[in-house]
Structures are given as C-alpha cells and as structure tokens.
Amino acid sequence: MKNLHKITIIGVGLIGGSFALGLKKLGLIDEIVGYGHNADNLQLAVDLNVIDSFSTDIKTAVENSDLIMLSVPLGVMQTVLRDMQPFLKADAIITDAGSAKMSVVEAVQAVFGELPSTFVPGHPIAGKEQSGVAAACEDLFKAHRVILTPTVNTDAAALQTVQSLWQALGANVQTMTPAYHDEVLAATSHLPHLLAFALVDLLNEHDELGNVFQYTAGGFRDFTRIASSDATMWRDIALYNSDAISKWLKHYQNAIGHLIELVDAKDGPALHHLFSEAKAARDEHIVKK
Amino acid sequence: MKNLHKITIIGVGLIGGSFALGLKKLGLIDEIVGYGHNADNLQLAVDLNVIDSFSTDIKTAVENSDLIMLSVPLGVMQTVLRDMQPFLKADAIITDAGSAKMSVVEAVQAVFGELPSTFVPGHPIAGKEQSGVAAACEDLFKAHRVILTPTVNTDAAALQTVQSLWQALGANVQTMTPAYHDEVLAATSHLPHLLAFALVDLLNEHDELGNVFQYTAGGFRDFTRIASSDATMWRDIALYNSDAISKWLKHYQNAIGHLIELVDAKDGPALHHLFSEAKAARDEHIVKK
C-alpha cells in the first residue's frame, strides 16, 4: 500500500466520518482532514476524534493530500470536484462513497476532461438509520461489502491502495464495472427502496379506507423499513441512477401486470408456482447467506 | 361469557393449536377436541398438551360441541363446513381464523343457506415463520390484534363469547365488517406480500445480471422477509380475496407508473416530495406505533 500521510474527507457525515474514525483508530494515517461548509459539524467531528483537523477552505483541505474521499451526496459531487481540482497533488488518489457510480465517473470526466489513473470510484454497502457524524462508528464497514468500480484508466496501485484501506476497516471488497454496479444496485437496492416509498405513499394518500396503518403488523413494518430512509439521498439516487432505475421499475411494473392477470384469472397453480419459486429462492440465497 | 364445555378445533396447526393451547392453560374449557385428516399430527397435538383428544371423524369431533374454531386453509373452509353442518348442535358457535373474510361468509351462506346468528368470522393477525402444531405457543396472540367481522345476522351474545376467548388469550379485539376487513388487509398485508414475492421472483428469473442476491444487504432482507411465507397459504389468500387484491395491485401499478414518469423526467422536487411524505407517514404511523 502506498504511504498515505494526509487524507481528506470531503463531507464528514456517517459514511465519511466512520471511514475517518476507523483509519484514525488504526493509526495508519498521519493526518486526517475534514472539509465541509458547516464549521460546527466539522468541529464536532474533531471533538469526537473522528478527524484530526478541518478546513472550510477547499485549497487548504486538499493541498498536499495523498487521498481524497468524497462522501457527499451524489448531487454535490461535480461541484466539489470542480472546486478541488486546481489544488490537487498530481498523484492524489480520488475515491468516493456514492451509491451510484456512472454519474460520479461522468462528473470526474466532465471536470478533469479525462478519467485520471488515480480515480477509484467506490461504494460501501453499509449504513444505519441515523445519519450525521455523531452516528459515525469505527466498525460500520466491518464484514460489510464495499464495491470498487475501477474505470478503464484506473491504475492497479491506486486500486490496491483504496482496497487496502477498506480491508483494514474489515470490509469485504469486490470490484466490478461502474455500469454493472449501477444495474445491480438498481435491481437489489434502489428498486426496493422506491417500491417501499411508493407503498407507504399509496396507503397514506388513499382516503377510501381511513388510516390503514393502524392495522399493519410486523410484515408491513419490515417491508417498509427502508421507506424511513433519507428523502434527499434517495432523490439524488433516483436522479443520478435514473436510467437503470427506470428500467427496473418497468420490469417490475410488468411483473405486477402478470400477477394481476393471474389473480384475475384465479390461476391457483400459476400463483402457487410463482410464490413457491420466490420463497425457495429467498430461502436459499438470502436466509442462508 | 357463555359456558363452554366442549370446543372443537378444525385444523390443529400453528393458529388452531395456539388457540387451543392458550385456552387449555387458562382452564376455561372442559374439553378441547381436535379434528383433522392426519392422525399423527393430532396425536402430536395431544402429546404436546395442545388438545385433550382428537377424532378424524367429523361427527364425533363436532357433536355436542359448544364452539367450533375453523383454522384450516381458506380453500378448505367450504368442504369442512359442509361435512360438519349435519352434526352441529343448534346453538353451536362457529368461528374461524381465515385471512380473508368475505369468502368464509359466502361459504357459510352456501352451506347453511343463511348466515347463522351464531356465526362469528374472525382473523387473528399473528403468526410466525414456522408453521404446524409443534410451533404452537400459548402467547402467540398476546398483544396482537384479532379482528372479528360479525355479519348482519350475528347475535351479540355469540360475538361477546368469541371476543372474550380472544381477550382471555391477551389479544386486542376489534370488530369491522367482512368487506372492510378484506379491503384493509388487501392493502396492508396481501399487497405487500405479493409485492415481495414478485420482486424476488423478478430478480431470480432475470438472467441478465447473474445471481444478484449476493449483493443484497439488510434492507433487501427485511423488504423480502414476507416472501419466505407459505406459498399454499398465499395462493389461497390470492384466490379467496382476489377482487380486493386485484384492485390494490392495480392502484399500486398506477403508483409505479407515476414514479417511472418522475424518474424519467428527472423531477427532483416531486421525487423528494413523494419520498419525504412517505418517510414522514411511516415515521409517524409505524415507527411510533
């Protein structure tokens, strides 16, 4: 792993804060600097020993930095990249924690006019209900999956460095292309989140039955848990992975159409087949996981 | 509460078994008899002290019985009603635990040619992942909701007796019409179950991405938990509450269509509004519940 003296966390919230805190505890980095607009939040991060110091000036924050971790909302990525680009060291590694990857790759391409060899897009699949640096914890990524999505230009050393950091934090690192990442996450994460939001919204807005939430049980609570996620983050994901999400929403809409046909036809054998195949797949791939 | 000397459990599985076991522990009933086709299962229920005795002969099981609890799959209700009808005491209370109520009301109407005043349809909203009498437990219904759906003919005394039994088991009993029950349950329970089955089925059958289940996290696990439910039971629910379920599937299909429009239009404000309204509704009605 490349020697890292100074790293910069752009956006010190739950994810950026937990990344910083874990590395600080390991003592692998001489100096961890936080950057953001909110000095109170950054001071809190210092007080919590999440970062060593902070700056609200981008030049001060990133100059001489060996690695930049972008842990800001997807909608802010391009602005931050543009602000920091003039002050980066030539060989600074740029990585991120965005939930969609093609949009970050495109933002880097737009700002740098190319894809730097030191750019290593990434996505830690971890989180919790709380957000903000106060919720940061050093083992947030432990035994969790982190997906790195090197571009065609990413060099092996930069990839190895970022991978080593995540592994030092206990994560299971896996690599794939940005496009495949976005498809897979659209199907397995973005789609169910949007479906949960849509169900709660449908029942909430439906006047016909009164407050039906009072009749819900544990199944509904679990099914809709992800509808308590942060609305701003999910708006950004829906906007910045819109192609893949739209495609999977349409696949799902067709699947619901098929289900309606089976229910209307009272086709017991086909319904039983669909339910038992789904149950078997979940029991095999999810329950046993 | 009416004095109950003998009650009969038709179908001694998780629900019927837990109902019997709870009442036995309370010592309220002189004799609890189980009925079914599988003598081994019924003997197991006796061995587990869930019931006092059993018979695989319907006449023996129901004659002189003060209350019949039908805890069989929806698809079997009418057959069982037809088999037992000739042997019932005139004032025997008939109740059930089916997840849909209109279909049971229609089955009783078909068999009896009327809706008896002693017929009290019911639905305990409780369960667990395991099924069968071995999973029965006396506190399955404790602090859980039981919905009773008296018909226009149900007399107050019969309703009161059934309500008292459920209350003795610790349940919160609520009454509503059979039709309203079926609408509410279609929206809050049957719809999410079918949506979860459909999502797992879609990802399972989709060859394009390979095994995507390996990339799922806790959100997906929770969202799809109800897709590990029993396929036969859910086939029956889909068949026996098909009108309400079809209607809510169509509402939901329209909601997904609306979401696709917003995603395709990259309408950030509208997406944010939808997600934040849903989050607020869930946080208020479900999280705080």
Side-chain angles (χ1 to χ4, degrees), chain B residues 120-123 146-150 159 162-163 166 173-176:
Chain B
V120 186
H123 177 204
V146 170
I147 300 176
L148 298 181
T149 64
L159 177 61
V162 175
Q163 179 166 323
W166 284 115
V173 180
Q174 196 161 6
T175 60
M176 57 181 71

Side-chain angles (χ1 to χ4, degrees), chain A residues 145 180 195 208-209 214 216 221-222 225 228 242 246-247 252 264 266 279 282-283 286 289, chain B residues 145 180 195 208-209 214 216 222 225 228 242 246-247 252 264 266 279 282-283 286 289:
Chain A
R145 196 178 296 266
Y180 183 74
L195 297 181
E208 196 179 310
L209 298 178
Q214 63 181 304
T216 59
R221 173 181 276 261
D222 283 353
R225 182 173 69 78
S228 284
S242 59
S246 175
K247 177 180 137 182
Y252 191 76
D264 285 347
K266 298 186 195 287
K279 174 178 167 56
R282 183 177 186 279
D283 288 349
I286 307 292
K289 208 164 82 163
Chain B
R145 195 180 296 267
Y180 184 74
L195 297 181
E208 199 179 307
L209 299 177
Q214 63 181 304
T216 59
D222 283 355
R225 182 173 68 79
S228 284
S242 59
S246 174
K247 177 181 139 181
Y252 191 77
D264 284 347
K266 297 186 198 289
K279 173 179 167 55
R282 183 177 186 278
D283 288 349
I286 307 293
K289 208 164 83 163

Side-chain angles (χ1 to χ4, degrees), chain B residues 36-53:
Chain B
H37 292 306
N38 183 337
D40 289 344
N41 179 63
L42 293 164
Q43 183 59 53
L44 175 63
V46 171
D47 294 343
L48 293 170
N49 270 314
V50 164
I51 52 177
D52 295 305
S53 63

Side-chain angles (χ1 to χ4, degrees), chain A residues 125 129 145 147 174 176 180 183-185 187-189 191-206 208-236 238-239 241-243 245-260 262-269 271-283 285-289, chain B residues 125 129 145 147 174 176 180 183-185 187-189 191-206 208-236 238-239 241-243 245-260 262-269 271-283 285-289:
Chain A
I125 303 189
E129 312 249 322
R145 196 178 296 266
I147 300 176
Q174 196 161 6
M176 57 181 71
Y180 183 74
E183 279 284 335
V184 164
L185 270 287
T188 59
S189 170
L191 176 61
H193 275 81
L194 267 59
L195 297 181
F197 281 125
L199 179 66
V200 176
D201 186 65
L202 175 66
L203 298 192
N204 190 37
E205 296 207 336
H206 230 271
E208 196 179 310
L209 298 178
N211 176 7
V212 295
F213 293 117
Q214 63 181 304
Y215 304 112
T216 59
F220 188 87
R221 173 181 276 261
D222 283 353
F223 185 87
T224 60
R225 182 173 69 78
I226 50 184
S228 284
S229 303
D230 182 67
T232 303
M233 175 177 162
W234 282 95
R235 176 202 59 196
D236 279 7
L239 293 175
N241 196 23
S242 59
D243 287 353
I245 290 173
S246 175
K247 177 180 137 182
W248 280 97
L249 281 170
K250 286 166 190 160
H251 284 323
Y252 191 76
Q253 198 183 29
N254 290 337
I256 297 300
H258 177 59
L259 204 44
I260 290 170
L262 298 184
V263 170
D264 285 347
K266 298 186 195 287
D267 187 339
L271 287 164
H272 189 270
H273 180 73
L274 193 156
F275 298 161
S276 55
E277 291 283 303
K279 174 178 167 56
R282 183 177 186 279
D283 288 349
H285 296 295
I286 307 292
V287 178
K288 289 191 188 155
K289 208 164 82 163
Chain B
I125 304 189
E129 313 249 321
R145 195 180 296 267
I147 300 176
Q174 196 161 6
M176 57 181 71
Y180 184 74
E183 279 284 334
V184 165
L185 270 287
T188 59
S189 170
L191 176 61
H193 274 81
L194 266 59
L195 297 181
F197 281 126
L199 179 66
V200 176
D201 186 65
L202 175 65
L203 298 191
N204 190 38
E205 295 207 336
H206 229 273
E208 199 179 307
L209 299 177
N211 176 8
V212 295
F213 293 117
Q214 63 181 304
Y215 304 113
T216 59
F220 188 87
R221 172 183 278 260
D222 283 355
F223 185 88
T224 59
R225 182 173 68 79
I226 49 184
S228 284
S229 303
D230 182 67
T232 302
M233 175 177 163
W234 282 96
R235 176 203 59 197
D236 277 7
L239 294 176
N241 195 22
S242 59
D243 287 353
I245 290 174
S246 174
K247 177 181 139 181
W248 280 96
L249 280 170
K250 285 167 191 161
H251 284 322
Y252 191 77
Q253 198 184 30
N254 290 337
I256 296 300
H258 177 59
L259 204 44
I260 291 171
L262 298 184
V263 170
D264 284 347
K266 297 186 198 289
D267 188 339
L271 288 164
H272 188 269
H273 180 73
L274 193 156
F275 298 161
S276 54
E277 291 283 304
K279 173 179 167 55
R282 183 177 186 278
D283 288 349
H285 297 295
I286 307 293
V287 177
K288 288 190 187 155
K289 208 164 83 163

Side-chain angles (χ1 to χ4, degrees), chain A residues 68-259:
Chain A
I68 316 289
M69 161 58 79
L70 295 157
S71 42
V72 293
L74 290 168
V76 187
M77 289 283 184
Q78 190 158 338
T79 305
V80 164
L81 284 160
R82 198 175 296 283
D83 291 346
M84 76 185 196
Q85 188 265 341
F87 309 113
L88 292 175
K89 264 206 324 188
D91 63 345
I93 292 172
I94 303 163
T95 189
D96 79 301
S99 307
K101 303 276 37 98
M102 286 300 288
S103 72
V104 181
V105 171
E106 285 159 12
V108 167
Q109 174 74 43
V111 168
F112 289 78
E114 59 167 2
L115 293 172
S117 63
T118 55
F119 171 45
V120 185
H123 177 204
I125 303 189
K128 43 178 169 171
E129 312 249 322
Q130 308 96 310
S131 57
V133 71
C137 59
E138 62 190 276
D139 58 0
L140 184 66
F141 308 111
K142 198 167 180 177
H144 278 73
R145 196 178 296 266
V146 170
I147 300 176
L148 299 180
T149 63
T151 73
V152 287
N153 291 348
T154 302
D155 74 44
L159 176 61
Q160 181 57 46
T161 296
V162 174
Q163 180 166 323
S164 300
L165 289 180
W166 284 116
Q167 285 170 339
L169 298 175
N172 302 321
V173 180
Q174 196 161 6
T175 61
M176 57 181 71
T177 66
Y180 183 74
H181 167 278
D182 285 2
E183 279 284 335
V184 164
L185 270 287
T188 59
S189 170
H190 308 170
L191 176 61
H193 275 81
L194 267 59
L195 297 181
F197 281 125
L199 179 66
V200 176
D201 186 65
L202 175 66
L203 298 192
N204 190 37
E205 296 207 336
H206 230 271
D207 295 332
E208 196 179 310
L209 298 178
N211 176 7
V212 295
F213 293 117
Q214 63 181 304
Y215 304 112
T216 59
F220 188 87
R221 173 181 276 261
D222 283 353
F223 185 87
T224 60
R225 182 173 69 78
I226 50 184
S228 284
S229 303
D230 182 67
T232 303
M233 175 177 162
W234 282 95
R235 176 202 59 196
D236 279 7
I237 291 173
L239 293 175
Y240 288 90
N241 196 23
S242 59
D243 287 353
I245 290 173
S246 175
K247 177 180 137 182
W248 280 97
L249 281 170
K250 286 166 190 160
H251 284 323
Y252 191 76
Q253 198 183 29
N254 290 337
I256 297 300
H258 177 59
L259 204 44

